Amino acid sequence: MSGNRSIYEQVILEHNKKPRNFRSIENPDRKVEGYNPLCGDHFTIYLKMDDDVIEDISFEGSGCAISKSSASIMTALLKGKTREEASELFNKLHHMVMSDPESELDEGDLGHLMAFAGIRNYPMRVKCATLAWHTMLNALEGEADSVSTE
Ligand code: ZN
């Protein structure tokens, strides 16, 4: 576990330094802002949909390394996924970061999202790790133009 942890930390640092899909989308189907006042993370998520499939997804904004790398990994994972697959992935991530730090981790198909496993030891950072996801889900549902974690 401790050996893996440093690999996962590298994943976060790398995505923070070189975020994927860090741009706007012209004429997006949805554009939603997410804000985490606890940390000051503030992102805009852009979505281009093809029926139920996420054709393109991108983000802009600024935040701590955890929130930014989480947004970056999310956009890389979700391109080509359906609405349902996207919310399933979020549920898995959410379950992991909210789980008991002593409990066994189930890697399942979380892939690079495993980078956030360590967050369960830091409840204050859960909102950093999930901000982009909450914002993306809101964009998919088309309910609001901005999301706050408060
Ligand atoms: Zn943060």
Side-chain angles (χ1 to χ4, degrees):
M1 180 67 220
S2 59
N4 282 343
R5 188 169 293 165
S6 65
I7 293 169
Y8 293 136
E9 274 167 16
Q10 283 170 30
V11 169
I12 289 179
L13 292 175
E14 208 270 327
H15 275 271
N16 179 51
K17 211 163 89 185
K18 275 199 242 161
R20 316 297 194 270
N21 306 300
F22 192 64
R23 54 179 165 81
S24 62
I25 290 175
E26 232 177 284
N27 305 317
D29 292 310
R30 293 292 299 167
K31 174 187 170 194
V32 177
E33 272 182 71
Y35 183 48
N36 171 16
L38 272 183
C39 181
D41 310 316
H42 190 183
F43 294 103
T44 302
I45 306 282
Y46 299 85
L47 273 179
K48 192 94 186 157
M49 301 298 293
D50 180 8
D51 276 335
D52 217 28
V53 176
I54 298 169
E55 194 184 309
D56 198 8
I57 176 169
S58 70
F59 76 107
E60 284 183 323
S62 62
C64 64
I66 291 169
S67 63
K68 195 170 184 179
S69 61
S70 179
S72 170
I73 291 170
M74 178 185 81
T75 60
L77 280 174
L78 292 188
K79 223 181 275 190
K81 295 265 196 299
T82 63
R83 220 175 267 261
E84 201 182 315
E85 287 167 335
S87 70
E88 256 171 45
L89 264 176
F90 168 71
N91 289 339
K92 285 178 188 169
L93 170 69
H94 193 250
H95 183 258
M96 177 176 73
V97 295
M98 298 299 282
S99 64
D100 181 343
E102 302 299 317
S103 69
E104 193 87 16
L105 274 172
D106 175 17
E107 296 207 19
D109 51 1
L110 280 168
H112 273 179
L113 290 178
M114 283 302 290
F116 301 100
I119 297 295
R120 61 190 197 156
N121 296 300
Y122 305 97
M124 292 289 289
R125 309 310 297 274
V126 166
K127 285 175 177 172
C128 299
T130 56
L131 173 66
W133 290 81
H134 281 298
T135 310
M136 173 279 296
L137 286 178
N138 221 281
L140 278 180
E141 284 157 17
E143 278 175 0
D145 294 331
S146 69
V147 181
S148 172
T149 54
E150 290 307 284

